[in-house]
mmCIF file of all heavy atoms in Angstrom:
data_model
loop_
_atom_site.group_PDB
_atom_site.id
_atom_site.type_symbol
_atom_site.label_atom_id
_atom_site.label_comp_id
_atom_site.label_asym_id
_atom_site.label_seq_id
_atom_site.Cartn_x
_atom_site.Cartn_y
_atom_site.Cartn_z
ATOM 1 N N GLY A 207 -39.949 7.248 -17.592
ATOM 2 C CA GLY A 207 -41.348 6.955 -17.854
ATOM 3 C C GLY A 207 -41.791 5.587 -17.377
ATOM 4 O O GLY A 207 -41.037 4.858 -16.722
ATOM 5 N N VAL A 208 -43.023 5.231 -17.754
ATOM 6 C CA VAL A 208 -43.632 3.991 -17.281
ATOM 7 C C VAL A 208 -42.856 2.759 -17.758
ATOM 8 O O VAL A 208 -42.592 1.826 -16.994
ATOM 9 C CB VAL A 208 -45.100 3.896 -17.742
ATOM 10 C CG1 VAL A 208 -45.699 2.550 -17.332
ATOM 11 C CG2 VAL A 208 -45.919 5.035 -17.162
ATOM 12 N N GLN A 209 -42.485 2.749 -19.046
ATOM 13 C CA GLN A 209 -41.783 1.583 -19.582
ATOM 14 C C GLN A 209 -40.433 1.378 -18.880
ATOM 15 O O GLN A 209 -40.043 0.258 -18.569
ATOM 16 C CB GLN A 209 -41.576 1.746 -21.087
ATOM 17 C CG GLN A 209 -42.863 1.609 -21.903
ATOM 18 C CD GLN A 209 -42.605 1.663 -23.389
ATOM 19 O OE1 GLN A 209 -41.622 2.267 -23.836
ATOM 20 N NE2 GLN A 209 -43.467 1.041 -24.181
ATOM 21 N N GLY A 210 -39.736 2.486 -18.659
ATOM 22 C CA GLY A 210 -38.449 2.397 -17.976
ATOM 23 C C GLY A 210 -38.607 1.875 -16.561
ATOM 24 O O GLY A 210 -37.793 1.075 -16.088
ATOM 25 N N LYS A 211 -39.654 2.326 -15.865
ATOM 26 C CA LYS A 211 -39.873 1.874 -14.492
ATOM 27 C C LYS A 211 -40.236 0.395 -14.445
ATOM 28 O O LYS A 211 -39.813 -0.331 -13.552
ATOM 29 C CB LYS A 211 -40.970 2.711 -13.842
ATOM 30 C CG LYS A 211 -40.564 4.159 -13.594
ATOM 31 C CD LYS A 211 -41.703 4.979 -12.999
ATOM 32 C CE LYS A 211 -41.273 6.429 -12.795
ATOM 33 N NZ LYS A 211 -42.369 7.269 -12.266
ATOM 34 N N LEU A 212 -41.027 -0.039 -15.426
ATOM 35 C CA LEU A 212 -41.382 -1.467 -15.487
ATOM 36 C C LEU A 212 -40.128 -2.314 -15.757
ATOM 37 O O LEU A 212 -39.939 -3.377 -15.158
ATOM 38 C CB LEU A 212 -42.430 -1.710 -16.574
ATOM 39 C CG LEU A 212 -43.847 -1.199 -16.270
ATOM 40 C CD1 LEU A 212 -44.745 -1.357 -17.488
ATOM 41 C CD2 LEU A 212 -44.421 -1.949 -15.082
ATOM 42 N N GLY A 213 -39.298 -1.821 -16.678
ATOM 43 C CA GLY A 213 -38.057 -2.537 -16.959
ATOM 44 C C GLY A 213 -37.146 -2.568 -15.741
ATOM 45 O O GLY A 213 -36.516 -3.588 -15.439
ATOM 46 N N GLY A 214 -37.088 -1.435 -15.022
ATOM 47 C CA GLY A 214 -36.276 -1.382 -13.809
ATOM 48 C C GLY A 214 -36.776 -2.339 -12.753
ATOM 49 O O GLY A 214 -35.979 -2.964 -12.042
ATOM 50 N N LEU A 215 -38.090 -2.474 -12.650
ATOM 51 C CA LEU A 215 -38.676 -3.395 -11.683
ATOM 52 C C LEU A 215 -38.300 -4.830 -12.003
ATOM 53 O O LEU A 215 -37.993 -5.626 -11.102
ATOM 54 C CB LEU A 215 -40.201 -3.237 -11.681
ATOM 55 C CG LEU A 215 -40.973 -4.060 -10.642
ATOM 56 C CD1 LEU A 215 -40.559 -3.639 -9.235
ATOM 57 C CD2 LEU A 215 -42.470 -3.894 -10.826
ATOM 58 N N MET A 216 -38.287 -5.157 -13.290
ATOM 59 C CA MET A 216 -37.917 -6.513 -13.696
ATOM 60 C C MET A 216 -36.429 -6.780 -13.439
ATOM 61 O O MET A 216 -36.037 -7.915 -13.144
ATOM 62 C CB MET A 216 -38.235 -6.712 -15.187
ATOM 63 C CG MET A 216 -39.724 -6.651 -15.508
ATOM 64 S SD MET A 216 -40.056 -6.803 -17.281
ATOM 65 C CE MET A 216 -39.478 -8.459 -17.585
ATOM 66 N N LEU A 217 -35.627 -5.733 -13.525
ATOM 67 C CA LEU A 217 -34.179 -5.894 -13.337
ATOM 68 C C LEU A 217 -33.747 -5.670 -11.895
ATOM 69 O O LEU A 217 -32.551 -5.750 -11.590
ATOM 70 C CB LEU A 217 -33.426 -4.914 -14.244
ATOM 71 C CG LEU A 217 -33.465 -5.216 -15.738
ATOM 72 C CD1 LEU A 217 -32.828 -4.071 -16.519
ATOM 73 C CD2 LEU A 217 -32.736 -6.523 -16.043
ATOM 74 N N LYS A 218 -34.685 -5.407 -11.011
ATOM 75 C CA LYS A 218 -34.344 -5.111 -9.623
ATOM 76 C C LYS A 218 -33.479 -6.206 -8.982
ATOM 77 O O LYS A 218 -32.506 -5.897 -8.274
ATOM 78 C CB LYS A 218 -35.619 -4.898 -8.806
ATOM 79 C CG LYS A 218 -35.360 -4.397 -7.388
ATOM 80 C CD LYS A 218 -36.662 -4.083 -6.672
ATOM 81 C CE LYS A 218 -36.386 -3.564 -5.256
ATOM 82 N NZ LYS A 218 -37.660 -3.245 -4.536
ATOM 83 N N PRO A 219 -33.790 -7.487 -9.185
ATOM 84 C CA PRO A 219 -32.926 -8.540 -8.613
ATOM 85 C C PRO A 219 -31.485 -8.469 -9.127
ATOM 86 O O PRO A 219 -30.540 -8.748 -8.385
ATOM 87 C CB PRO A 219 -33.612 -9.837 -9.046
ATOM 88 C CG PRO A 219 -35.032 -9.462 -9.282
ATOM 89 C CD PRO A 219 -34.971 -8.082 -9.848
ATOM 90 N N VAL A 220 -31.318 -8.087 -10.394
ATOM 91 C CA VAL A 220 -29.978 -7.974 -10.966
ATOM 92 C C VAL A 220 -29.211 -6.837 -10.299
ATOM 93 O O VAL A 220 -28.032 -6.977 -9.953
ATOM 94 C CB VAL A 220 -30.068 -7.734 -12.490
ATOM 95 C CG1 VAL A 220 -28.668 -7.535 -13.076
ATOM 96 C CG2 VAL A 220 -30.761 -8.903 -13.175
ATOM 97 N N PHE A 221 -29.905 -5.699 -10.106
ATOM 98 C CA PHE A 221 -29.262 -4.557 -9.451
ATOM 99 C C PHE A 221 -28.864 -4.909 -8.016
ATOM 100 O O PHE A 221 -27.839 -4.446 -7.519
ATOM 101 C CB PHE A 221 -30.195 -3.349 -9.453
ATOM 102 C CG PHE A 221 -30.515 -2.831 -10.820
ATOM 103 C CD1 PHE A 221 -31.766 -2.314 -11.115
ATOM 104 C CD2 PHE A 221 -29.560 -2.857 -11.828
ATOM 105 C CE1 PHE A 221 -32.056 -1.833 -12.380
ATOM 106 C CE2 PHE A 221 -29.842 -2.371 -13.100
ATOM 107 C CZ PHE A 221 -31.094 -1.862 -13.386
ATOM 108 N N LYS A 222 -29.666 -5.723 -7.382
ATOM 109 C CA LYS A 222 -29.363 -6.145 -6.015
ATOM 110 C C LYS A 222 -28.096 -6.991 -5.979
ATOM 111 O O LYS A 222 -27.249 -6.837 -5.075
ATOM 112 C CB LYS A 222 -30.542 -6.942 -5.442
ATOM 113 C CG LYS A 222 -30.315 -7.450 -4.021
ATOM 114 C CD LYS A 222 -30.130 -6.326 -3.022
ATOM 115 C CE LYS A 222 -30.025 -6.861 -1.609
ATOM 116 N NZ LYS A 222 -29.732 -5.785 -0.621
ATOM 117 N N VAL A 223 -27.941 -7.848 -6.963
ATOM 118 C CA VAL A 223 -26.742 -8.679 -7.051
ATOM 119 C C VAL A 223 -25.506 -7.800 -7.237
ATOM 120 O O VAL A 223 -24.465 -8.000 -6.592
ATOM 121 C CB VAL A 223 -26.858 -9.686 -8.222
ATOM 122 C CG1 VAL A 223 -25.511 -10.389 -8.454
ATOM 123 C CG2 VAL A 223 -27.933 -10.716 -7.913
ATOM 124 N N VAL A 224 -25.620 -6.798 -8.122
ATOM 125 C CA VAL A 224 -24.501 -5.885 -8.376
ATOM 126 C C VAL A 224 -24.161 -5.097 -7.112
ATOM 127 O O VAL A 224 -22.992 -4.947 -6.752
ATOM 128 C CB VAL A 224 -24.847 -4.921 -9.529
ATOM 129 C CG1 VAL A 224 -23.744 -3.873 -9.690
ATOM 130 C CG2 VAL A 224 -25.034 -5.690 -10.827
ATOM 131 N N GLN A 225 -25.187 -4.608 -6.429
ATOM 132 C CA GLN A 225 -24.969 -3.840 -5.201
ATOM 133 C C GLN A 225 -24.275 -4.685 -4.138
ATOM 134 O O GLN A 225 -23.333 -4.222 -3.484
ATOM 135 C CB GLN A 225 -26.296 -3.314 -4.670
ATOM 136 C CG GLN A 225 -26.168 -2.414 -3.445
ATOM 137 C CD GLN A 225 -27.506 -1.879 -2.981
ATOM 138 O OE1 GLN A 225 -28.559 -2.478 -3.232
ATOM 139 N NE2 GLN A 225 -27.494 -0.747 -2.312
ATOM 140 N N ASP A 226 -24.727 -5.912 -3.975
ATOM 141 C CA ASP A 226 -24.111 -6.805 -2.984
ATOM 142 C C ASP A 226 -22.672 -7.132 -3.363
ATOM 143 O O ASP A 226 -21.797 -7.238 -2.494
ATOM 144 C CB ASP A 226 -24.925 -8.099 -2.860
ATOM 145 C CG ASP A 226 -26.256 -7.881 -2.174
ATOM 146 O OD1 ASP A 226 -26.426 -6.833 -1.515
ATOM 147 O OD2 ASP A 226 -27.143 -8.744 -2.301
ATOM 148 N N LYS A 227 -22.422 -7.302 -4.649
ATOM 149 C CA LYS A 227 -21.076 -7.640 -5.121
ATOM 150 C C LYS A 227 -20.102 -6.506 -4.845
ATOM 151 O O LYS A 227 -18.940 -6.740 -4.474
ATOM 152 C CB LYS A 227 -21.129 -7.931 -6.623
ATOM 153 C CG LYS A 227 -19.823 -8.442 -7.218
ATOM 154 C CD LYS A 227 -19.518 -9.854 -6.790
ATOM 155 C CE LYS A 227 -18.319 -10.420 -7.520
ATOM 156 N NZ LYS A 227 -17.976 -11.783 -7.089
ATOM 157 N N MET A 228 -20.558 -5.270 -4.987
ATOM 158 C CA MET A 228 -19.691 -4.113 -4.812
ATOM 159 C C MET A 228 -19.581 -3.657 -3.363
ATOM 160 O O MET A 228 -18.796 -2.763 -3.052
ATOM 161 C CB MET A 228 -20.200 -2.951 -5.667
ATOM 162 C CG MET A 228 -20.062 -3.185 -7.165
ATOM 163 S SD MET A 228 -18.348 -3.444 -7.672
ATOM 164 C CE MET A 228 -17.617 -1.862 -7.274
ATOM 165 N N ASP A 229 -20.337 -4.254 -2.474
ATOM 166 C CA ASP A 229 -20.329 -3.845 -1.066
ATOM 167 C C ASP A 229 -19.164 -4.521 -0.345
ATOM 168 O O ASP A 229 -19.287 -5.619 0.183
ATOM 169 C CB ASP A 229 -21.657 -4.216 -0.401
ATOM 170 C CG ASP A 229 -21.730 -3.762 1.053
ATOM 171 O OD1 ASP A 229 -20.871 -2.942 1.452
ATOM 172 O OD2 ASP A 229 -22.621 -4.228 1.777
ATOM 173 N N TYR A 230 -18.007 -3.834 -0.317
ATOM 174 C CA TYR A 230 -16.820 -4.428 0.299
ATOM 175 C C TYR A 230 -16.906 -4.464 1.814
ATOM 176 O O TYR A 230 -16.156 -5.185 2.471
ATOM 177 C CB TYR A 230 -15.547 -3.702 -0.142
ATOM 178 C CG TYR A 230 -15.397 -2.288 0.357
ATOM 179 C CD1 TYR A 230 -14.815 -2.028 1.581
ATOM 180 C CD2 TYR A 230 -15.821 -1.211 -0.410
ATOM 181 C CE1 TYR A 230 -14.656 -0.727 2.039
ATOM 182 C CE2 TYR A 230 -15.675 0.095 0.045
ATOM 183 C CZ TYR A 230 -15.088 0.324 1.267
ATOM 184 O OH TYR A 230 -14.945 1.607 1.724
ATOM 185 N N SER A 231 -17.846 -3.700 2.414
ATOM 186 C CA SER A 231 -17.947 -3.667 3.880
ATOM 187 C C SER A 231 -18.391 -5.002 4.460
ATOM 188 O O SER A 231 -18.147 -5.291 5.630
ATOM 189 C CB SER A 231 -18.924 -2.570 4.313
ATOM 190 O OG SER A 231 -20.244 -2.858 3.885
ATOM 191 N N LYS A 232 -19.020 -5.852 3.651
ATOM 192 C CA LYS A 232 -19.457 -7.149 4.164
ATOM 193 C C LYS A 232 -18.275 -8.062 4.458
ATOM 194 O O LYS A 232 -18.409 -9.068 5.153
ATOM 195 C CB LYS A 232 -20.412 -7.827 3.167
ATOM 196 C CG LYS A 232 -19.757 -8.246 1.862
ATOM 197 C CD LYS A 232 -20.789 -8.841 0.911
ATOM 198 C CE LYS A 232 -20.135 -9.256 -0.412
ATOM 199 N NZ LYS A 232 -21.141 -9.819 -1.350
ATOM 200 N N HIS A 233 -17.092 -7.702 3.912
ATOM 201 C CA HIS A 233 -15.879 -8.466 4.210
ATOM 202 C C HIS A 233 -15.265 -8.027 5.532
ATOM 203 O O HIS A 233 -14.291 -8.624 5.994
ATOM 204 C CB HIS A 233 -14.853 -8.294 3.088
ATOM 205 C CG HIS A 233 -15.296 -8.838 1.768
ATOM 206 N ND1 HIS A 233 -15.410 -10.188 1.516
ATOM 207 C CD2 HIS A 233 -15.676 -8.220 0.622
ATOM 208 C CE1 HIS A 233 -15.821 -10.378 0.276
ATOM 209 N NE2 HIS A 233 -15.987 -9.208 -0.292
ATOM 210 N N GLY A 234 -15.806 -6.978 6.143
ATOM 211 C CA GLY A 234 -15.281 -6.470 7.403
ATOM 212 C C GLY A 234 -14.633 -5.116 7.223
ATOM 213 O O GLY A 234 -14.823 -4.441 6.208
ATOM 214 N N GLY A 235 -13.840 -4.703 8.208
ATOM 215 C CA GLY A 235 -13.166 -3.417 8.145
ATOM 216 C C GLY A 235 -11.758 -3.558 7.602
ATOM 217 O O GLY A 235 -11.381 -4.577 7.028
ATOM 218 N N ALA A 236 -10.975 -2.508 7.793
ATOM 219 C CA ALA A 236 -9.572 -2.527 7.391
ATOM 220 C C ALA A 236 -8.736 -3.030 8.565
ATOM 221 O O ALA A 236 -8.867 -2.543 9.687
ATOM 222 C CB ALA A 236 -9.119 -1.127 6.973
ATOM 223 N N VAL A 237 -7.897 -4.000 8.306
ATOM 224 C CA VAL A 237 -7.058 -4.618 9.336
ATOM 225 C C VAL A 237 -5.704 -3.933 9.370
ATOM 226 O O VAL A 237 -5.076 -3.756 8.325
ATOM 227 C CB VAL A 237 -6.874 -6.126 9.060
ATOM 228 C CG1 VAL A 237 -5.949 -6.756 10.099
ATOM 229 C CG2 VAL A 237 -8.223 -6.831 9.044
ATOM 230 N N LEU A 238 -5.247 -3.553 10.559
ATOM 231 C CA LEU A 238 -3.914 -2.987 10.699
ATOM 232 C C LEU A 238 -2.946 -4.142 10.937
ATOM 233 O O LEU A 238 -2.733 -4.574 12.071
ATOM 234 C CB LEU A 238 -3.866 -1.981 11.848
ATOM 235 C CG LEU A 238 -2.557 -1.198 11.987
ATOM 236 C CD1 LEU A 238 -2.244 -0.429 10.702
ATOM 237 C CD2 LEU A 238 -2.616 -0.243 13.168
ATOM 238 N N LEU A 239 -2.361 -4.644 9.858
ATOM 239 C CA LEU A 239 -1.446 -5.783 9.939
ATOM 240 C C LEU A 239 -0.055 -5.323 10.356
ATOM 241 O O LEU A 239 0.495 -4.392 9.771
ATOM 242 C CB LEU A 239 -1.351 -6.477 8.580
ATOM 243 C CG LEU A 239 -2.427 -7.487 8.200
ATOM 244 C CD1 LEU A 239 -2.081 -8.110 6.857
ATOM 245 C CD2 LEU A 239 -2.584 -8.560 9.255
ATOM 246 N N GLY A 240 0.493 -5.973 11.375
ATOM 247 C CA GLY A 240 1.841 -5.674 11.795
ATOM 248 C C GLY A 240 1.963 -5.235 13.237
ATOM 249 O O GLY A 240 3.061 -5.006 13.730
ATOM 250 N N VAL A 241 0.834 -5.106 13.952
ATOM 251 C CA VAL A 241 0.883 -4.781 15.375
ATOM 252 C C VAL A 241 0.661 -6.052 16.181
ATOM 253 O O VAL A 241 0.229 -7.077 15.657
ATOM 254 C CB VAL A 241 -0.156 -3.704 15.756
ATOM 255 C CG1 VAL A 241 0.202 -2.374 15.126
ATOM 256 C CG2 VAL A 241 -1.560 -4.120 15.329
ATOM 257 N N LYS A 242 0.943 -5.975 17.485
ATOM 258 C CA LYS A 242 1.002 -7.164 18.325
ATOM 259 C C LYS A 242 -0.348 -7.745 18.715
ATOM 260 O O LYS A 242 -0.397 -8.770 19.403
ATOM 261 C CB LYS A 242 1.801 -6.854 19.593
ATOM 262 C CG LYS A 242 3.277 -6.580 19.346
ATOM 263 C CD LYS A 242 3.999 -6.279 20.647
ATOM 264 C CE LYS A 242 5.480 -6.031 20.421
ATOM 265 N NZ LYS A 242 6.185 -5.692 21.681
ATOM 266 N N ALA A 243 -1.423 -7.116 18.317
ATOM 267 C CA ALA A 243 -2.762 -7.638 18.597
ATOM 268 C C ALA A 243 -3.665 -7.277 17.423
ATOM 269 O O ALA A 243 -3.373 -6.331 16.675
ATOM 270 C CB ALA A 243 -3.307 -7.055 19.902
ATOM 271 N N PRO A 244 -4.746 -8.001 17.223
ATOM 272 C CA PRO A 244 -5.653 -7.674 16.125
ATOM 273 C C PRO A 244 -6.278 -6.294 16.300
ATOM 274 O O PRO A 244 -6.779 -5.955 17.371
ATOM 275 C CB PRO A 244 -6.715 -8.776 16.218
ATOM 276 C CG PRO A 244 -6.036 -9.907 16.919
ATOM 277 C CD PRO A 244 -5.121 -9.258 17.906
ATOM 278 N N VAL A 245 -6.233 -5.495 15.241
ATOM 279 C CA VAL A 245 -6.831 -4.157 15.233
ATOM 280 C C VAL A 245 -7.616 -4.010 13.936
ATOM 281 O O VAL A 245 -7.073 -4.247 12.852
ATOM 282 C CB VAL A 245 -5.766 -3.049 15.321
ATOM 283 C CG1 VAL A 245 -6.426 -1.670 15.194
ATOM 284 C CG2 VAL A 245 -4.983 -3.146 16.620
#
């Protein structure tokens, strides 16, 4: 409802922080450690 949407709008910056924190792709991909060149 309306109250929930208003509350969600106020908390939108918080949700953004949580989303960014959980986004492991910003650290890059998976590194294959142990081969003779970076992969």
Side-chain angles (χ1 to χ4, degrees):
V208 176
Q209 288 185 333
K211 291 178 181 178
L212 288 173
L215 184 62
M216 295 177 65
L217 289 173
K218 188 175 181 180
V220 177
F221 296 145
K222 179 62 175 175
V223 171
V224 174
Q225 184 178 25
D226 289 343
K227 186 72 173 178
M228 292 300 296
D229 182 14
Y230 68 87
S231 65
K232 67 183 180 181
H233 296 289
V237 177
L238 187 58
L239 277 184
V241 293
K242 293 180 179 178
V245 175

